[in-house]
């Protein structure tokens, strides 16, 4: 190893670097070195360290001593491969960049360096007269070199068109003249003619000839790789990803091997396990008589490495010896790296050469399967397995997806914000009523709306997916969709819906009611027509539950769920929830019969009639809570009292107003006036939450009676309900006390009759900045806190989640925001308030239970923050419970 | 002085207490003692200390030793007055309560104690046979005693009606039988007959006779006063006002003097100066041959003490000797108390007796005049004068008021929240258009709306007063009204406006367009009909400016104003503003021609056309700023960039939409769609403030060009503009930088041409909780901060100021809020954020200028808090500038 020159040699025999030297050798170089150390068949070569990059960028030249050192390493390479660079048995080289982090926008590869007018004849000899191969290689070299080295370095291209285009035009013209369909029809002489034309184009465009000296080619390529570190796209990418620009890229110079020397040659890519399913099968594709480029270009269809039908096109049948070698390499790589690898290989006349290995990307399903399998195979520990699966992969593993073929063959008509991941497909409908009507008949529908409101809930329930033209990632549609695990795309600015509710337009494409439409809620893409979907089976005794059971042993944060119905609770329990962190009582009112009764309560003119309407609702609510507490027996259930502004319930048509007027013995005009008077300028900051409970104490009282009544009934049946009654939107101790007293009164009324002891805590949601600021006061009286970070984020930023759609895109474009604070907790602002609240509350009541029930409760980075804050639990929608279980474990690792 | 028994004797000769012993003697007792110390003619007597009250309430009886001590003090009283209690020259006593703080709901007075079957004949003798006087006094004693002592103590009243009512019925019946119109027609025998009937009623109703023993009467009265400390209303009042219930009330026992012994007797009340105007005139009323009760009852019309017409009914003419004595008392009291006094006196056969003195209540005008006069008279120092006037009195002194007579003779039809103080009167109109049309013709109108929006501004401008059915004290209507010093009543829940905009109803009274209506914006009362108004002249060289000039020397906080026009600036300068703390640029767009142009900008489909519409607005805005900077030459002017949501500007009718469509060459449908798409769920938290500037940088750029362009023009003219450009609604350093860069670009463009140096600061409004939380970041880049406490209060509490009308009344009723946080800064919540922001900002940039420009900037307690926080200035509406000047001085005292 030559420290002074910082060039690291690698070969099967001797290697300077290893996999830990990523900073010096780049990712690619480090992995190549490691393969060499393992004794795998890697074409020899050497890596120019990243530090040489900044040296070059200072002087814009390769120093004499560096060149000398390169030559020394070429000599070592020659010695091992037994060919000579520029000699009569010519060694050709590849030059590849390789930064410590994967980075698009940099020059990647130049192949076949060393082909000159002098070495071409030798090369033809060395390949037993394979003139076609040699000229094909030569024209590739000229094009790549002209494009990436000369065009950028010389900047002399007078033509308005890039050099690559000019050259491709020549190739097309030869093919046309000769009536060739594919490049494979090209004959040796055709490639030769083309090469000559290329040389002329280079001369004409750059004013200098294509370098005919092998070292000149090599130095030019190395310099171009270094130069590309400061390319426009690379710089932008670094600035965006906050990658230091002083890092530099390494350069890998390696002996060429050829997969296109005939039927005993070939090239391929493979994964050591199936990256889609995770199954422990060797999974890959290869092409006989081809170079890597050909596999990537997609002109020829590659064959599987192992074909179930044992087709003779499979590598195992076609080149069994090389296949056996490859199988052996696969096993050694997995044993060494303890992870699934993504590899590239070339077979040159039956001899296997390994060109690359790296950690293989995989689907969620595969990540889980591989991690758990590897524990069974004793390759990794349970902790490593838990740490290796990204939380979002769990979510992915449970979703519907568009079949890959359909995904490739269709172009989205437009896109919106990916609000509810997973794909969905169905007939377009434009009203909740229609969605419900068709959905009840078992028809799959996609509900398309400007935005949704609680009035649309029944229709959303029957929809496969939801598409809106307005709203952000935490708009009503998005929240409901994620809560139910439904596919959803929101804020599609190209979407306009006709007021007739019979058709819509997306970017000038008309969609009529009943037309098929497909949403990809993971990407935000929207497709016209019905694309095929698939879903991986959820296997509760399989790898996922295995992995999560390990996670459960590691994590300390409890995981609860946000669930409003016994069905939600059931699903959440299946996913491993340890309680309900948020049960929203308002959703219970949306049943047709009840909402009518509830509306009467809202429109009541006095307390007496209001109380009588509430009395009608009491048995319904009691039954709701009974069922939920029963389902969650022995586990805590946090029930939030009525929260949304009342007018959300009376966003109704004239017909229902008439019904209500008749039913209540009021004039229609009076009902209309009352409905009108309930409208608010800023409902989010209006008459809602505990403010309703203060104005209408009878509502709080009814809900308290229902909750406590249900608990008492279960207690009498020998069950163990654990009730946490939560008062929403508190910003002031006195508000809390006002409501707490109503609840305690209800308790005394009920318990007085039953004589039972029930497990009842009374706490509050911390979702207003002032609640954080006076947490010390509130904590003295509250049994628990639960952060409502959706609303807390809204008020801390002054952002209405329903209105961010208009300015958030600009905020992301202008890099004012890098992440959506409604997705990931804003630690600096919202987080500072939370920290104050936790500190002040614990200072007066160390035992106070504190959790979070906002959408953030299911987001891994936010879960990490909750752990840092010292919260007791996080609560999230049922579908996010598995994610949270994993994320909470990873925080501890 | 008898410490053990805690009874304090007072008389002209010897007195135990003084004015500093309010806690022990109560307010009344302490002032009586002080008068005695001054040697003023006070009927002798003694005060039972407050501590005796709790002694009594424990045992529910007066101890033997206390009774003994009372007797000892009676003896001293007898010695001085030369009459005996229960004796042949009978001493009658009054018993009065007197707590340390004035407190309604307690028993106040029982007179004539000591009249019994034994002493009545003596009393007749002692008054030269004035039988009528004695029986009149007796029946008063029986009624008062039965009502306040016996009814409450014995609770035996079987009748459903109170004893007082039964007795009054008897009086009426005697008057009816004899055909008397007034009590003055009653003869001696009539009073005697009535007294006998009263004695029978007492016996019948309570089952016990009226006490005929003088000591029994006295002890009963004393016990009743103590008892009344725990009366229902008194307890409620204490709880509401947070007065300790252990404080107790004192009891004053005093020799009776009689103003109803003939034409040489009388009684009266007076102020040592005019409490309405503050003029140094002796001001009061008296009744000859009358007791205090008669003045209060209002049956007879009292005469002035000094009558300009020198009528022989004036005290100065009728009883010149007593008047001279009273004049002397007046002078001695003022010299002693250094303040205007409110006194009660009685003249018994030409002899003046002082019954009470206390600090006199006064109007704003009077407070100012008295304070400044007293400085001139060398009674008080300038500091005392500045401290003595309440800031709100300055405001009052500048307002229109309803003429007292009309106020007394009219009953309000309903009331709302007092949103803009001062009275107004005019024809009712229901649209801004009508208000403008009539107002332009010089007609006085009151604009009546459900609520107002910026669209109504033009109509509000032409209205005398504004009345709304919705909204709270910081609703749009309230803010605009206070900014312009207009009378305004908001949130009148009895008000409904017909959709035809031709009539309204207030509590079932119909008001048609054009009907006269009067508002009292100081109390919230609404009157149907036109009441007469008066306004005190504003005299800038008079007492107010005198007082404020003293205040200016004391205060350290600078006072700026919120002003949007040169006219506002002019008014504010007159009021003493030292700069503009908030100039809202949006109001500049409301001119008809400009708003049309501005709407085109809003509806523009692309940046190019938007920029061209903005270009049309640039000269207008430049001129606006030029005028304002010129008016404020040499003083800082903080200009806020466009803040409100755009849809506020396009709340327009179909006709204007058509105009716009024509003008812009767009289809009406497109305009309608665009208008629709700008609507927001929660505009307060939506696309406004710097969020507009981020999405439409060309708007910021235009405004920056106008502002800087205007400054450059003035600079060239030799003026000295001091511009502070303020970016609104920042919650994030990057938002601020984004906008700052646009401003700096504009500056470079303009300054590059002119080569001038201008005084330009770029800062931000701190009005979002997150801005406080990240103040450290923002302070590094901002030249100044200005707290926008209206919005900060909205977001910190999660209260929309437009929607608090529905729940704030409950919040005050339930005592969840004791003050409106939009009126007075909430120190605990909002204040804590402000404190953090100031601390964090000053930690990184000690020199940063910090002020406040919310409504709170003109509120005295909030000004005090701003001083505590260490702010540099407060800014408020022009009309509040004088208040702020005074309040800021008082903070320093």
């Amino acid at each position: 190893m030559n420290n002074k020159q910082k060039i690291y040699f690698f070969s099967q025999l001797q290697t300077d670097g290893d996999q830990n030297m990523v900073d010096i050798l780049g990712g690619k170089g480090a992995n190549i070195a490691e393969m060499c150390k393992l004794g795998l068949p890697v074409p020899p070569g050497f890596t120019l360290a990243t530090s040489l990059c900044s040296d070059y960028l200072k002087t814009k030249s390769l120093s004499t001593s560096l060149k000398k050192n390169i030559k020394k390493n070429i000599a070592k390479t020659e010695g091992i491969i037994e060919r000579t660079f520029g000699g009569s048995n010519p060694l050709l080289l590849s030059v590849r960049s390789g930064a410590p982090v994967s980075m698009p926008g940099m020059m990647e590869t130049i192949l076949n360096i060393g082909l000159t007018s002098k070495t071409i004849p030798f090369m033809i000899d060395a390949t037993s007269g394979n003139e076609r191969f040699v000229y094909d290689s030569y024209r590739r070299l000229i094009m790549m070199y002209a494009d990436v080295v000369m065009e950028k370095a010389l900047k002399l291209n007078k033509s308005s068109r890039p050099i690559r285009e000019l050259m491709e035009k020549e190739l097309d013209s030869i093919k046309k003249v000769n009536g060739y369909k594919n490049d494979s029809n090209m004959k040796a002489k055709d490639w030769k003619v083309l090469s000559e034309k290329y040389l002329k184009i280079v001369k004409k465009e750059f004013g200098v000839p294509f370098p005919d000296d092998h070292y000149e080619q090599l130095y030019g390529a190395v310099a171009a790789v270094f130069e590309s570190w400061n390319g426009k796209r690379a710089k932008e990418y670094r600035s965006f990803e906050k990658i230091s620009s002083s890092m530099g890229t390494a350069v890998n110079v390696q002996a060429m091997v050829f997969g296109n020397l005939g039927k005993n040659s070939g090239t391929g890519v493979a994964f050591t396990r199936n990256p889609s399913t995770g199954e422990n099968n060797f999974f890959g594709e290869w092409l006989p008589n081809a170079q890597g480029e050909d596999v990537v270009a997609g002109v020829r269809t590659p064959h599987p490495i192992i074909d179930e039908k044992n087709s003779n096109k499979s590598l195992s049948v076609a080149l069994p010896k090389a296949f056996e070698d490859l199988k052996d390499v696969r096993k050694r790589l997995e044993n060494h790296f303890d992870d699934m690898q993504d590899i590239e290989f070339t077979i040159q006349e039956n001899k296997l050469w390994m060109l690359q290995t790296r950690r293989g990307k995989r689907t969620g399903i595969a990540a889980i399967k591989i991690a758990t399998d590897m524990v069974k195979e004793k390759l990794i520990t349970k902790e490593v397995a838990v740490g290796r699966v990204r939380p979002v992969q769990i979510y992915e593993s449970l979703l519907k997806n568009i079949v890959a073929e359909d995904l490739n063959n269709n172009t989205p008509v437009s896109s919106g914000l990916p609000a509810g991941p997973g794909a969905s497909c169905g007939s377009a409908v434009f009203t909740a009523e229609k969605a419900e009507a068709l959905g009840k008949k078992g028809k799959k529908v996609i509900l398309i709306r400007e935005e949704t409101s609680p009035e649309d809930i029944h229709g959303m329930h029957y929809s496969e997916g939801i598409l809106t033209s307005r709203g952000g990632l935490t708009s009503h549609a998005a929240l409901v969709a994620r809560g139910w695990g439904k596919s959803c795309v929101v804020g599609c600015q190209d979407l306009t819906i006709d007021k007739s509710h019979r058709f819509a337009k997306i970017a000038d494409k008309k969609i009529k009611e009943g037309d098929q439409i497909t949403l990809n809620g993971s990407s935000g893409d929207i497709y016209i027509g019905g694309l095929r979907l698939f879903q991986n089976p959820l296997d509760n005794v399989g790898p996922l539950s295995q992995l999560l059971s390990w996670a459960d042993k590691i994590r300390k944060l409890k995981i609860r769920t946000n669930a409003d119905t016994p069905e939600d609770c059931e699903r959440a329990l299946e996913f491993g929830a340890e309680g309900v962190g948020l049960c929203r009582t308002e959703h219970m009112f949306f049943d047709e019969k009840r909402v009518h009764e509830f509306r009467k309560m809202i429109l009541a003119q006095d307390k007496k009639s209001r109380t009588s309407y509430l009395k009608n609702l009491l048995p319904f609510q009691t039954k709701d809570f009974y069922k939920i507490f029963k389902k969650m027996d022995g586990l805590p259930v946090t029930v939030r009292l009525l929260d949304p502004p009342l007018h959300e319930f009376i966003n109704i048509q004239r017909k229902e107003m008439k019904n209500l007027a008749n039913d209540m013995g009021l004039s229609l005009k009076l009902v209309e006036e009352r409905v009108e008077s309930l409208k608010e300028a800023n409902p989010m900051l209006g008459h809602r939450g505990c403010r309703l409970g203060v104005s209408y104490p009878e509502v709080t009282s009814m809900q308290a009676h229902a909750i406590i009544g249900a608990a008492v009934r279960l207690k009498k049946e020998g069950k163990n309900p654990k009730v946490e009654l939560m008062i929403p939107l508190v910003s002031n101790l006195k508000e809390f006390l006002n409501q707490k007293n109503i609840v305690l009164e209800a308790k005394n009324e009920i318990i007085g009759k039953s004589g039972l002891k029930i497990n009842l805590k009374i706490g509050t949601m911390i979702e207003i900045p002032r609640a954080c600021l006076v947490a010390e006061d509130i904590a003295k009286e509250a049994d628990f806190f639960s952060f409502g970070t959706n609303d807390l984020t809204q008020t801390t930023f002054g952002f209405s989640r329903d209105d961010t759609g208009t300015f958030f895109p600009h905020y992301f474009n202008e890099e004012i925001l890098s992440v959506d604070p409604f997705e990931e907790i804003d630690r600096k602002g919202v987080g500072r308030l939370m920290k104050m609240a936790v500190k002040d509350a614990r200072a007066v009541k160390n035992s106070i239970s504190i959790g979070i029930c906002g959408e953030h409760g299911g987001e891994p980075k936010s879960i990490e923050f909750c752990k840092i804050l010292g919260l007791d639990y996080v609560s999230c929608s049922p579908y996010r419970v598995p994610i949270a279980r994993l994320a909470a474990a990873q925080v501890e690792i």
Side-chain angles (χ1 to χ4, degrees), chain A:
Chain A
M1 187 174 125
N2 186 324
N3 269 319
K4 203 177 135 211
Q5 285 300 346
K6 298 168 187 170
I7 295 187
Y8 295 75
F9 187 74
F10 58 80
S11 73
Q12 256 177 298
L13 299 178
Q14 182 244 321
T15 298
D16 298 333
D18 64 40
Q19 65 174 337
N20 299 317
M21 296 167 71
V22 172
D23 285 353
I24 299 165
L25 304 179
K28 192 191 297 266
N31 277 334
I32 287 174
E34 193 70 14
M35 282 201 290
C36 289
K37 288 232 150 184
L38 288 177
L40 299 184
V42 175
F46 50 92
T47 304
L48 279 67
T50 52
S51 58
L52 292 170
C53 182
S54 47
D55 292 354
Y56 169 83
L57 290 170
K58 270 176 221 148
T59 61
K60 294 280 180 181
S61 69
L62 306 176
S63 67
T64 318
S65 65
L66 177 61
K67 285 180 179 169
K68 208 170 135 191
N69 198 351
I70 288 175
K71 281 191 176 162
K72 212 170 0 178
N73 277 279
I74 295 273
K76 282 172 83 174
T77 308
E78 289 170 338
I80 286 168
I81 200 92
E82 293 177 342
R83 282 185 265 141
T84 40
F85 188 49
S88 57
N89 185 13
L91 165 66
L92 302 192
L93 296 172
S94 68
V95 170
R96 290 184 173 92
S97 69
V101 290
S102 170
M103 212 174 80
M106 279 180 16
M107 193 268 277
E108 296 241 313
T109 303
I110 301 180
L111 302 178
N112 304 331
I113 286 175
L115 276 178
T116 58
S117 56
K118 178 184 159 200
T119 58
I120 285 173
F122 294 138
M123 197 65 193
I124 294 171
D125 283 353
T127 56
S128 318
N130 196 339
E131 204 169 345
R132 185 182 182 283
F133 158 74
V134 175
Y135 281 110
D136 182 12
S137 302
Y138 190 46
R139 65 96 195 183
R140 288 180 200 245
L141 169 64
I142 304 168
M143 171 147 35
M144 278 192 257
Y145 197 92
D147 179 22
V148 303
V149 181
M150 301 184 78
E151 184 152 271
K152 272 155 201 159
L154 298 172
K155 288 178 189 145
L156 278 169
N157 185 5
K158 300 286 190 301
S159 161
S160 60
R161 297 166 72 187
I163 194 91
R164 186 174 272 273
E165 237 174 73
L166 297 172
M167 290 179 167
E168 272 163 4
K169 207 177 137 200
E170 287 298 333
L171 171 57
D172 289 345
S173 136
I174 291 180
K175 278 155 77 179
K176 204 172 171 188
V177 165
N178 291 294
Y180 300 155
K181 278 198 171 170
N182 297 321
D183 288 4
S184 59
N185 302 127
M186 293 280 284
K187 307 211 162 47
K189 74 163 171 34
D190 297 325
W191 290 128
K192 192 174 174 190
V193 168
L194 189 66
S195 303
E196 282 154 9
K197 291 206 170 178
Y198 280 9
L199 292 174
K200 277 181 195 153
I201 291 173
V202 166
K203 184 79 177 44
K204 186 179 164 209
E205 292 292 322
F206 301 135
V208 291
F210 178 76
D212 200 33
D213 175 75
H214 53 293
Y215 268 109
E216 194 181 337
Q217 287 175 1
L218 178 61
Y219 296 148
V222 168
V225 170
F226 284 147
E227 200 67 64
S228 72
W229 176 253
N230 274 345
K232 189 161 170 279
R233 248 184 82 205
K235 276 165 99 170
E236 281 172 1
Y237 183 83
R238 283 203 296 273
S239 137
F240 188 74
E241 294 283 324
K242 298 189 181 57
I243 297 168
S244 160
S245 63
S246 67
M247 190 187 273
T249 181
V251 183
N252 298 294
V253 180
Q254 192 172 19
M256 287 289 299
V257 289
F258 300 98
N260 52 350
L261 282 180
K263 67 176 174 54
N264 291 333
S265 300
T267 189
V269 293
F271 293 87
T272 56
R273 303 192 183 209
N274 187 314
S276 298
T277 65
E279 283 167 301
N280 192 357
N281 298 328
F282 198 14
F283 181 89
E285 292 175 327
W286 79 295
L287 270 176
N289 195 16
Q291 269 198 316
E293 267 194 314
D294 303 319
V295 181
V296 177
V299 182
R300 290 164 62 190
T301 307
H303 313 303
I305 289 178
I306 305 172
D307 190 334
E308 281 170 18
K309 297 169 201 149
N310 212 18
S311 141
N312 54 13
K313 286 187 173 169
S314 74
L315 184 65
S316 51
V317 177
L319 297 174
K321 161 75 175 60
F323 175 72
E324 285 308 314
D325 290 347
L326 191 61
K327 259 178 44 180
D328 181 55
V329 165
R330 171 200 174 211
K331 199 175 166 188
R332 289 173 66 191
L333 283 175
E334 278 214 348
N335 282 342
H336 183 71
F337 286 104
D338 296 337
D339 201 355
M340 186 263 270
Q341 295 293 302
D342 170 0
I343 58 178
E344 286 179 28
F345 62 90
T346 284
I347 297 161
Q348 180 174 337
E349 294 175 328
N350 284 319
K351 158 82 175 152
L352 175 71
W353 293 100
M354 296 303 300
L355 299 184
Q356 177 153 318
T357 190
R358 60 185 171 188
R359 199 181 162 280
K361 288 187 179 155
R362 61 206 83 182
T363 65
I365 286 273
I368 296 160
K369 170 100 175 113
I370 291 169
T372 50
D373 280 355
M374 284 193 167
V375 172
K376 281 179 211 148
E377 294 161 25
K378 298 202 186 342
L379 282 174
I380 57 176
T381 65
K382 288 171 184 171
E383 281 71 24
V384 169
V386 165
R388 192 170 273 181
V389 177
R390 281 177 300 127
V392 70
Q393 291 180 312
I394 291 192
Y395 199 37
E396 279 169 18
S397 77
L398 299 170
L399 293 172
K400 276 187 188 162
N401 286 297
I402 297 170
V403 168
E405 202 180 331
D406 283 11
L407 198 60
N408 287 329
N409 295 335
N410 288 276
T411 310
V413 61
S414 179
S415 65
L417 299 170
S424 58
C425 170
S427 309
V429 295
F430 304 102
T431 64
E433 290 64 35
K434 194 79 192 180
E436 185 176 6
L438 294 178
K440 273 185 173 166
K441 289 182 193 154
K443 190 146 188 181
K444 293 190 170 175
V445 298
I446 303 290
L447 177 61
I448 305 179
R449 305 279 292 160
E450 285 187 344
E451 57 198 332
T452 65
S453 77
E455 268 297 295
D456 297 317
I457 289 269
H458 60 112
M460 295 168 83
H461 185 77
Y462 284 104
S463 303
E464 291 290 305
I466 295 138
L467 170 62
T468 73
S469 59
R470 289 199 204 154
L473 287 171
T474 46
S475 62
H476 179 263
L479 287 179
V480 172
R482 283 202 294 278
W484 286 342
K486 273 190 200 295
S487 164
C488 179
V489 175
V490 298
C492 171
Q493 301 194 334
D494 287 339
L495 170 65
T496 52
I497 300 166
D498 189 84
K499 285 185 178 171
S500 70
H501 292 304
R502 308 293 295 191
F503 70 90
K505 269 188 181 175
I506 306 182
D508 292 333
K509 292 270 196 298
K510 193 164 171 177
I511 300 169
K512 296 189 306 297
E513 190 178 285
D515 285 355
Q516 288 292 301
I517 181 167
T518 303
L519 306 180
N520 184 347
S522 307
S523 67
D525 286 339
I526 304 159
Y527 299 85
I528 288 182
L531 274 57
R532 286 172 299 161
L533 309 183
F534 73 96
Q535 184 168 28
N536 294 302
L538 167 62
D539 181 356
N540 255 332
V541 293
L544 176 56
S545 52
Q546 179 96 80
L547 186 79
L548 292 177
S549 74
W550 298 336
D552 288 345
K553 284 195 187 111
I554 296 167
R555 73 182 157 86
K556 300 206 171 72
L557 268 174
K558 292 274 175 191
I559 312 295
R560 297 197 194 174
T561 190
N562 300 352
D564 307 335
T565 63
E567 294 74 36
D568 286 349
C569 291
E570 174 131 22
R571 193 172 303 123
L573 286 172
E574 281 170 14
F575 283 137
E578 298 163 302
V580 170
L582 177 63
C583 172
R584 285 161 293 213
T585 54
E586 51 268 20
H587 287 181
M588 299 176 180
F589 291 119
F590 279 112
D591 171 276
E592 208 166 313
K593 197 168 158 192
R594 292 190 213 180
V595 79
H596 184 72
E597 211 59 37
F598 193 67
R599 284 174 185 149
K600 279 155 72 177
M601 187 286 288
I602 295 171
L603 299 173
Q605 296 290 299
D606 53 53
K607 188 167 175 165
K608 201 183 141 197
S609 51
R610 195 177 306 118
T611 306
S612 92
Y613 295 131
L614 282 167
K615 217 171 241 171
N616 297 340
L617 288 166
L618 179 60
F620 289 119
Q621 282 244 299
T622 310
K623 204 169 160 190
D624 289 333
F625 293 125
Y626 174 82
K627 284 186 190 162
I628 288 171
F629 296 160
K630 190 168 178 181
K631 185 68 74 185
M632 300 302 293
D633 190 39
L635 296 174
V637 178
T638 310
V639 181
R640 180 177 71 183
L641 297 182
L642 191 65
D643 183 56
L646 294 183
H647 73 81
E648 283 199 4
F649 296 89
I650 49 168
N651 181 7
I652 50 179
Q653 304 296 315
R654 207 176 155 82
K655 195 181 143 197
E656 170 67 355
M657 287 202 209
K658 273 188 188 161
N659 273 347
L660 285 165
N662 280 342
D663 245 30
M664 299 174 71
L666 298 176
S667 73
L668 177 58
K669 205 176 153 227
L670 210 66
V671 169
E672 282 174 337
E673 275 175 17
R674 179 95 177 111
V675 166
E676 187 59 30
S677 77
L678 280 165
K679 288 194 181 150
E680 295 188 293
N682 297 286
M684 185 55 58
L685 307 178
H687 196 185
R688 51 174 288 238
C690 67
R691 299 166 197 174
L692 289 175
V694 170
S695 331
Y696 304 123
E698 51 278 11
V699 175
T700 302
S701 178
M702 183 279 279
Q703 292 206 303
H705 271 93
I707 292 163
I708 299 168
V712 164
R713 193 176 142 197
L714 281 161
K715 193 82 187 178
K716 283 181 183 163
E717 292 172 7
K719 301 284 183 190
N720 179 23
K722 288 187 170 173
V723 182
E724 300 186 349
L725 193 148
M726 180 156 72
I727 294 159
L729 216 71
V730 163
S731 65
N732 182 323
L733 171 62
K734 287 186 183 168
E735 269 175 328
F736 178 73
L737 283 180
N738 176 292
Q739 295 293 290
K740 183 179 172 181
N741 286 336
I742 296 171
V743 173
L744 289 177
E745 235 170 71
K747 186 184 168 189
N748 289 340
E749 279 172 40
I750 299 169
I751 298 292
K753 292 174 202 157
S754 76
L756 283 171
K757 276 192 182 169
I758 58 161
N759 200 327
L760 173 70
K761 289 181 175 179
I762 305 174
T764 182
M765 201 144 168
I766 302 288
E767 52 184 334
I768 295 286
R770 197 174 188 279
C772 297
L773 295 163
V774 302
E776 185 182 336
D777 286 358
I778 302 173
K780 287 178 196 152
E781 294 289 343
D783 297 326
F784 65 88
F785 278 2
S786 176
F787 284 107
T789 45
N790 292 355
D791 276 15
L792 190 58
T793 300
Q794 292 198 81
T795 41
T796 304
F797 275 92
F799 287 160
S800 158
R801 66 188 182 197
D802 291 320
D803 301 313
T804 52
T806 45
F807 57 93
F808 263 28
H810 299 278
Y811 270 51
F812 289 111
N813 277 348
E814 297 289 324
E815 292 176 31
I816 290 172
L817 289 177
S818 55
V819 289
D820 184 338
F822 291 107
E823 238 174 72
E824 187 187 319
I825 288 176
D826 156 51
R827 296 191 187 191
K828 199 153 192 177
V830 176
R832 188 172 177 192
L833 281 175
M834 292 172 76
K835 206 171 159 186
M836 284 168 66
V838 171
K839 187 170 161 254
D840 291 356
R842 291 253 157 91
V844 296
K845 189 186 278 178
N846 194 38
S847 64
I848 192 167
S849 152
I850 309 182
I852 178 175
C853 63
E855 281 278 296
H856 298 103
E859 191 279 320
K861 284 201 182 164
S862 305
I863 292 172
E864 183 191 52
F865 185 63
C866 290
K867 172 71 192 174
I868 293 170
L869 286 183
L871 300 199
D872 299 303
Y873 68 86
V874 299
S875 184
C876 53
S877 59
Y879 286 91
R880 286 189 165 226
V881 166
I883 301 180
R885 287 164 71 191
L886 182 67
Q890 291 183 344
V891 172
E892 306 289 342
I893 294 174

